[in-house]
């Protein structure tokens, strides 16, 4: 919502799209200041879903809904290499016409498990698994960056200022 507000102040159009296993909500891009109250209500009405996201269906659907070059900010994550591969393929297609900013949150638990002192075999196993997961995650983010997708991985408490900064940088570089 902070980016939507900033975009509205800057005279940009702002929309909203949400999905999980299927597309859920689409508010077409509109003048940001006028649509902001609607976006605020819609985001407040969203609920958490435990259903796995279908990036292929959702991003293909979104691509069909947008007729002009847009900045698409995607808040998502991936749990395994298959999901990650599908995500990369779909973001590559979307990135051909649009500017895509992929936003994901760091997992402080994984980082602490990787960096801690192992005092038992269980802790050592946890540290190895955490290190593997973080390494795989970085490989995916590097792949996204190589195909031109902008990536923002941040700690949960730093999301708003980092996202706003990324938006202002994109605008400053006239990518949209």
């Amino acid at each position: 919502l902070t980016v939507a507000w900033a975009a509205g102040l800057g005279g940009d159009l702002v929309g909203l799209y949400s999905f999980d296993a299927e597309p859920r909500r689409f508010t077409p891009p509109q003048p940001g200041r006028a649509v902001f109250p609607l976006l605020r209500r819609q985001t407040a009405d969203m609920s958490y879903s435990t259903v796995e996201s279908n990036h292929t269906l959702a991003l293909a659907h979104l691509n069909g809904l947008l007729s002009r070059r847009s900045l698409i900010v995607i808040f998502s994550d991936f749990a395994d290499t298959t999901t990650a591969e599908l995500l990369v393929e779909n973001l590559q297609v979307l990135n051909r016409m649009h500017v895509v900013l992929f936003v994901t949150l760091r997992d402080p638990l994984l980082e602490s498990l990787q960096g801690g002192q192992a005092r038992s075999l269980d802790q050592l196993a946890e540290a190895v698994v955490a290190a593997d997961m973080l390494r795989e995650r970085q490989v995916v983010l590097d792949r996204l960056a190589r195909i031109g997708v902008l990536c923002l991985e941040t700690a949960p408490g730093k999301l708003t200022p980092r996202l706003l900064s990324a938006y202002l940088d994109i605008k400053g570089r006239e990518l949209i």
Side-chain angles (χ1 to χ4, degrees):
L1 285 175
T2 301
V3 172
W5 181 255
L9 291 176
D12 289 334
L13 302 180
V14 180
L16 176 70
Y17 181 72
S18 66
F19 65 93
D20 52 24
E22 61 187 64
R24 294 289 173 195
R25 182 181 313 245
F26 177 67
T27 303
Q30 302 170 48
R33 292 178 109 173
V35 77
F36 187 79
L38 174 63
L39 296 178
R40 192 174 56 208
R41 280 193 308 276
Q42 288 180 336
T43 56
D45 289 343
M46 283 184 190
S47 60
Y48 183 79
S49 172
T50 58
V51 178
E52 186 172 348
S53 297
N54 184 337
H55 294 102
T56 302
L57 174 63
L59 298 179
H61 182 251
L62 177 62
N63 201 23
L65 293 171
L66 299 173
S67 59
R68 56 191 281 194
R69 184 171 170 83
S70 303
L71 168 62
I72 300 172
V73 181
I74 298 176
F75 295 90
S76 193
D77 209 342
F78 42 89
D80 55 59
T81 55
T82 303
T83 304
E85 185 63 35
L86 290 170
L87 176 67
V88 170
E89 289 175 12
N90 288 286
L91 290 180
Q92 186 171 18
V93 170
L94 204 57
N95 198 54
R96 289 183 188 134
M97 180 173 170
H98 306 286
V99 176
V100 178
L101 175 59
F102 181 76
V103 180
T104 187
L105 298 176
R106 286 192 183 120
D107 186 339
L109 177 60
L110 278 180
E111 292 175 352
S112 69
L113 287 173
Q114 177 197 20
Q117 283 284 82
R119 299 189 196 320
S120 69
L121 287 178
D122 285 345
Q123 288 178 341
L124 180 60
E126 287 175 347
V128 169
V129 169
D132 284 347
M133 290 177 73
L134 289 169
R135 188 173 28 262
E136 287 177 11
R137 180 182 185 85
Q138 191 59 53
V139 166
V140 172
L141 292 173
D142 290 345
R143 262 187 84 198
L144 288 172
R146 276 195 305 276
I147 63 172
V149 172
L150 305 172
C151 297
L152 174 61
E153 181 186 31
T154 187
K158 296 182 180 181
L159 175 62
T160 300
R162 300 260 337 264
L163 182 56
L164 187 56
S165 179
Y167 166 73
L168 293 173
D169 181 58
I170 290 165
K171 287 288 290 184
R173 293 171 35 202
E174 298 181 353
L175 297 177
I176 52 168

